Amino acid sequence: DAENLFEAIKLNVSSYLTKPLNFFSLSEVLSNLAKNINLENENKETLNTLKQYKDIVDERSIISKTDVNGIITYINEPFENISGYKQEELLGKPHSIITHPAINKDIFKKMWKRINFEKKSWQGRLRNIAKDGSEYFVDIIIKPILDLDGNIIEYISLSNDITDLENTKEYFKTQTQKNAFNLTESI
């Protein structure tokens, strides 16, 4: 009756058997049930493994996610630490909030073309500006996340802080130029 049907739907009943019992139907139902239980366990294991992968990446990398329009939907703690912004200050805002004003805007056109139109990852080094006005450098990869139909649903970026490396390179470049100037002066 209808009442039993609605109760079965609430309980996620996927099949039923009628009397007299057909053993072929019973084995088929039990086989499907075993497959579903096995798939559910595999899914739990996969989710557990993926959560651990996420945790370790989240711990070591500067991560942000944006929607399809480039609006920030997530940042992790290392992102907060390097940028000086708290999550609530950046959610709903574009990444341009941390973009250093000296960056050539053509980089972003190429980046957007690559991730949005070609639907491929973009990698590079960027100079950003923290909340306190200090600059920092990151080695970054940005990847579009696609649904099963190939439509972009969001973008995720993973970065590593390379500020010390860039500052060291700049220091040696400046020292080399000073030494060349001093050598020229003494000649």
Side-chain angles (χ1 to χ4, degrees):
D1 64 14
E3 188 176 314
N4 285 338
L5 176 63
F6 288 124
E7 187 63 28
I9 291 171
K10 286 181 192 176
L11 295 171
N12 294 324
V13 171
S14 60
S15 62
Y16 63 92
L17 297 169
T18 59
K19 293 181 182 178
L21 196 56
N22 177 324
F23 287 108
F24 176 76
S25 296
L26 175 62
S27 67
E28 198 172 83
V29 167
L30 291 175
S31 176
N32 286 335
L33 184 59
K35 285 179 191 174
N36 288 340
I37 290 171
N38 190 35
L39 285 173
E40 188 176 317
N41 287 338
E42 286 178 14
N43 284 342
K44 285 178 183 176
E45 282 297 323
T46 300
L47 285 173
N48 179 50
T49 301
L50 288 174
K51 183 188 178 319
Q52 291 179 63
Y53 288 169
K54 180 197 172 294
D55 289 347
I56 195 165
V57 170
D58 224 9
E59 205 173 294
R60 297 288 300 176
S61 296
I62 302 160
I63 300 173
S64 69
K65 291 188 335 182
T66 68
D67 65 14
V68 293
N69 299 311
I71 302 301
I72 299 169
T73 59
Y74 171 80
I75 63 168
N76 67 348
E77 188 177 334
F79 193 109
E80 288 181 332
N81 294 340
I82 196 166
S83 72
Y85 288 98
K86 293 293 179 198
Q87 189 172 44
E88 54 273 5
E89 295 176 281
L90 291 179
L91 295 184
K93 306 257 179 8
H95 264 279
S96 59
I97 213 168
I98 60 163
T99 302
H100 196 282
I103 286 193
N104 184 336
K105 302 303 180 217
D106 288 340
I107 290 173
F108 296 106
K109 289 177 186 173
K110 290 175 184 174
M111 176 195 306
W112 194 248
K113 178 182 178 234
R114 178 93 174 154
I115 64 173
N116 192 45
F117 298 109
E118 297 174 12
K119 298 180 182 180
K120 295 182 179 175
S121 298
W122 180 88
Q123 296 181 60
R125 292 179 175 201
L126 294 176
R127 183 193 324 181
N128 290 325
I129 191 158
K131 185 177 179 180
D132 67 4
S134 63
E135 64 180 27
Y136 64 94
F137 297 86
V138 292
D139 181 36
I140 186 169
I141 181 168
I142 304 170
K143 180 164 181 50
I145 304 301
L146 309 175
D147 65 14
L148 294 175
D149 296 323
N151 300 310
I152 298 171
I153 56 174
E154 66 183 351
Y155 301 97
I156 187 165
S157 71
L158 274 73
S159 308
N160 290 306
D161 181 7
I162 57 167
T163 305
D164 290 341
L165 176 66
E166 291 296 320
N167 287 341
T168 301
K169 282 173 40 180
E170 187 60 32
Y171 171 79
F172 282 114
K173 181 179 172 184
T174 304
Q175 290 302 318
T176 302
Q177 289 172 345
K178 282 182 184 178
N179 290 343
F181 179 75
N182 290 339
L183 183 62
T184 308
E185 289 272 313
S186 59
I187 295 179

